[in-house]
Amino acid sequence: MLGIAVLATLIAAGTKNCAHARSLEEVRQTGILRLCANPSALPYSNLTDRGGLAGFEVELAEALAHETGLELGVTWVRNAGEIKHSDCDVSMGVVASAASYDREGLTGSLTTHLPLRFSRPYADSGVVLVVSSRSSVHRLNDLHGQKIGVMVGTIEHEWLAKHDFRVSVFASQEDIIAAIEAGEIEVGATNPVTIGWYRHEHPSTAVRVPDGYEPELELRWSVSVGLRRADDALLAAVDTALAQLVEQRIPAQIYAKYGISYLPSSGQGLQ
């Protein structure tokens, strides 16, 4: 799974030399909206020709393309070098502003560093609590000094430590869930996608997000479509299509297919 800072790095590399805008007219001439996606990154994206899951970001991009009267084409990329030389138009799940970018030296106006245009936000993401069946924790204030599992070097690691919460660090969010399953810790912090997909793949698990839990405002941000080389007309067409999809609850339906809780956009984390 690509973290926010890694995604920023990939997009920066992929857009560094893109100087000319790609117009809506040019896209309509080809009839294809081209998505950049990883071929083996479920639940986000997956290359399959056997009727398997394509990934929620690929399915959402396909709905977006169809809403604009286009077909979806996918450019499969695995790393920054491939993105740099790709011909894709859009990336899904892009955060227009996030604290983690600062650690990559991407301070100030991000559009200076990332020559992308951002659509209206279509969902929120962030950090949620995950707990064992034996835990009585429903919110951070219920921790009462017990440790919370976090992935080392992440936004949540820094934020929780700064606010004097006790943390236990892990190499990945999957390791946090495994530690909860094994009884090593009772509480952890992951993103909604990680825990949602884990529960989808392990329906008997007792690890869960507390009922009604929503991320802290400081640990919640909106995600948008990032458009490369887009003119005003293409950006407007994508915004209009996204508004229609959100109104029809299409993103929520696609997220649910992968076990992921859909958080409506609050506009957090945008410049």
Side-chain angles (χ1 to χ4, degrees):
M1 182 190 67
L2 296 180
I4 293 172
V6 175
L7 179 60
T9 304
L10 293 178
I11 294 172
T15 57
K16 183 177 180 180
N17 298 318
C18 297
H20 301 291
R22 181 167 165 84
S23 69
L24 176 62
E25 181 180 356
E26 289 173 317
V27 173
R28 291 208 183 281
Q29 284 176 354
T30 65
I32 298 173
L33 185 70
R34 300 168 300 186
L35 169 73
C36 259
N38 190 309
S40 56
L42 279 174
Y44 297 91
S45 56
N46 184 46
L47 173 60
T48 176
D49 57 3
R50 295 188 295 274
L53 294 173
F56 74 92
E57 289 190 344
V58 174
E59 291 196 30
L60 185 55
E62 185 172 30
L64 173 65
H66 289 173
E67 189 67 34
T68 56
L70 301 165
E71 296 296 321
L72 180 70
V74 183
T75 299
W76 298 107
V77 294
R78 292 182 181 274
N79 54 53
E82 291 181 13
I83 289 181
K84 181 177 181 179
H85 300 291
S86 72
D87 60 355
C88 57
D89 303 307
V90 299
S91 296
M92 304 300 294
V94 175
V95 182
S97 176
S100 62
Y101 289 147
D102 292 344
R103 294 196 303 275
E104 302 297 311
L106 301 175
T107 56
S109 172
L110 289 175
T111 53
T112 299
H113 301 277
L114 307 180
L116 289 176
R117 302 194 71 177
F118 302 100
S119 74
R120 56 170 284 161
Y122 59 82
D124 270 12
S125 188
V127 180
V128 295
L129 287 182
V130 291
V131 300
S132 70
S133 59
R134 65 186 180 278
S135 177
S136 61
V137 171
H138 288 84
R139 57 189 62 84
L140 287 176
N141 289 339
D142 294 336
L143 285 171
H144 302 305
Q146 71 188 100
K147 286 186 176 182
I148 178 172
V150 297
M151 183 174 167
V152 64
T154 55
I155 296 171
E156 57 268 28
H157 181 189
E158 295 180 5
W159 189 87
L160 289 165
K162 179 180 178 181
H163 288 80
D164 297 323
F165 288 97
R166 297 180 66 205
V167 299
S168 180
V169 297
F170 292 84
S172 71
Q173 295 187 8
E174 291 77 10
D175 287 345
I176 295 170
I177 296 173
I180 296 175
E181 289 271 35
E184 297 171 9
I185 56 174
E186 288 189 11
V187 184
T190 75
N191 68 46
V193 174
T194 299
I195 183 59
W197 179 244
Y198 183 83
R199 287 176 57 83
H200 179 276
E201 294 296 280
H202 303 84
S204 63
T205 184
V207 179
R208 59 184 174 82
V209 178
D211 292 340
Y213 184 83
E214 292 193 2
E216 302 288 324
L217 288 179
E218 296 88 345
L219 297 175
R220 178 169 178 160
W221 48 82
S222 295
V223 296
S224 303
V225 177
L227 295 94
R228 297 171 56 190
R229 310 185 297 275
D231 68 350
D232 291 343
L234 180 55
L235 178 61
V238 168
D239 278 345
T240 299
L242 283 172
Q244 291 295 321
L245 294 178
V246 171
E247 183 177 345
Q248 298 164 22
R249 296 186 52 78
I250 300 299
Q253 294 170 22
I254 293 173
Y255 277 49
K257 180 178 176 180
Y258 293 81
I260 303 165
S261 297
Y262 174 74
L263 298 173
S265 172
S266 61
Q268 294 290 328
L270 293 177
Q271 290 187 336

